[in-house]
Coordinates of all heavy atoms in Angstrom, one line a residue:
R20 N 26.0 49.0 17.0 CA 24.6 49.4 17.4 C 23.7 48.6 16.5 O 22.6 48.1 17.1 CB 24.4 50.9 17.2 CG 23.0 51.4 17.3 CD 22.6 51.3 18.8 NE 21.3 51.8 19.0 CZ 20.4 51.4 20.1 NH1 20.9 50.4 20.8 NH2 19.3 52.0 20.1
V22 N 24.2 45.6 15.3 CA 24.2 44.2 15.9 C 23.4 44.2 17.0 O 22.5 43.3 17.4 CB 25.7 43.8 16.0 CG1 25.7 42.4 16.7 CG2 26.4 43.6 14.7
T74 N 17.1 25.3 8.7 CA 18.4 24.7 9.1 C 19.4 25.0 7.9 O 20.6 25.2 8.3 CB 18.1 23.2 9.1 OG1 17.1 22.9 10.1 CG2 19.4 22.5 9.5
C103 N 28.3 25.5 16.8 CA 27.0 25.7 16.1 C 26.8 24.7 14.9 O 25.7 24.1 14.7 CB 27.1 27.1 15.4 SG 26.7 28.4 16.7
N143 N 25.2 21.0 25.5 CA 24.9 20.5 24.2 C 25.3 18.9 24.2 O 24.5 18.1 23.6 CB 25.5 21.1 23.1 CG 24.9 22.5 22.9 OD1 23.8 22.9 23.2 ND2 25.7 23.5 22.3
A176 N 21.8 32.0 29.8 CA 22.2 30.6 29.6 C 21.4 29.8 30.7 O 21.2 28.6 30.4 CB 23.7 30.6 29.9
W179 N 18.3 28.6 29.3 CA 18.5 27.5 28.3 C 18.6 26.2 28.9 O 18.0 25.1 28.6 CB 19.7 27.8 27.4 CG 19.7 29.0 26.7 CD1 18.5 29.7 26.2 CD2 20.8 29.8 26.1 NE1 19.0 30.9 25.7 CE2 20.3 30.9 25.5 CE3 22.1 29.5 26.1 CZ2 21.2 31.9 25.0 CZ3 23.0 30.5 25.5 CH2 22.5 31.6 25.0
S210 N 11.7 38.1 32.9 CA 12.4 39.3 33.4 C 13.3 39.9 32.4 O 13.7 41.1 32.4 CB 13.1 38.8 34.7 OG 14.3 38.0 34.3
I231 N -0.2 15.2 32.9 CA -0.8 15.0 34.1 C -2.4 15.4 34.1 O -3.0 15.3 35.0 CB -0.1 15.9 35.2 CG1 -0.4 17.4 34.9 CG2 1.3 15.5 35.4 CD1 0.2 18.4 36.1
R233 N -4.0 18.0 32.8 CA -4.5 19.4 32.9 C -4.7 19.9 31.5 O -4.0 20.8 31.0 CB -3.7 20.3 33.8 CG -3.7 19.9 35.3 CD -2.5 20.7 36.1 NE -2.7 22.1 36.0 CZ -2.0 22.9 36.7 NH1 -1.2 22.5 37.7 NH2 -2.1 24.2 36.5
R266 N -1.8 16.0 20.2 CA -1.9 15.1 21.4 C -3.1 15.6 22.4 O -3.6 14.7 23.0 CB -0.5 15.3 22.3 CG -0.4 14.2 23.4 CD 0.9 14.2 24.1 NE 2.0 13.9 23.3 CZ 3.3 14.0 23.6 NH1 3.6 14.3 24.9 NH2 4.2 13.6 22.8
I278 N -5.7 13.7 13.8 CA -4.9 13.4 12.6 C -4.7 14.5 11.6 O -3.6 14.5 11.0 CB -5.8 12.2 11.9 CG1 -5.7 10.9 12.7 CG2 -5.4 12.0 10.5 CD1 -4.4 10.1 12.5
L291 N 12.2 21.1 7.8 CA 13.1 21.6 8.9 C 14.4 20.7 9.1 O 15.3 21.2 9.8 CB 12.5 21.5 10.3 CG 11.0 22.2 10.3 CD1 10.5 22.1 11.7 CD2 11.3 23.8 10.0
Q306 N 0.0 6.7 17.2 CA -0.8 6.6 18.4 C -2.3 7.0 18.0 O -3.2 6.2 18.5 CB -0.3 7.5 19.5 CG 1.0 7.3 20.0 CD 1.0 6.2 21.1 OE1 0.0 5.4 21.3 NE2 1.9 6.3 22.1
W321 N 4.8 3.9 12.5 CA 5.6 3.4 13.6 C 7.0 2.8 13.0 O 8.0 3.0 13.5 CB 5.0 2.5 14.6 CG 4.2 3.2 15.5 CD1 4.2 4.6 16.0 CD2 3.0 2.7 16.3 NE1 3.2 4.9 16.8 CE2 2.5 3.7 17.1 CE3 2.5 1.5 16.4 CZ2 1.5 3.6 18.0 CZ3 1.4 1.1 17.4 CH2 0.8 2.3 18.1
A325 N 10.5 4.3 13.9 CA 11.5 3.5 14.5 C 12.7 3.6 13.6 O 13.9 3.7 14.3 CB 11.0 1.9 14.5
A333 N 18.6 7.4 18.8 CA 17.7 7.5 19.9 C 17.2 6.1 20.2 O 15.9 5.8 19.9 CB 16.5 8.5 19.5
L344 N 4.8 -1.6 18.0 CA 4.6 -2.3 17.0 C 4.3 -3.8 17.3 O 3.4 -4.4 16.6 CB 5.9 -2.3 16.0 CG 6.1 -1.1 15.2 CD1 7.5 -1.0 14.6 CD2 5.1 -1.1 14.0

Side-chain angles (χ1 to χ4, degrees):
R20 176 64 177 155
V22 173
T74 305
C103 289
N143 292 337
W179 299 338
S210 71
I231 63 176
R233 290 175 55 175
R266 188 178 298 179
I278 287 289
L291 305 179
Q306 292 275 30
W321 283 340
L344 282 165

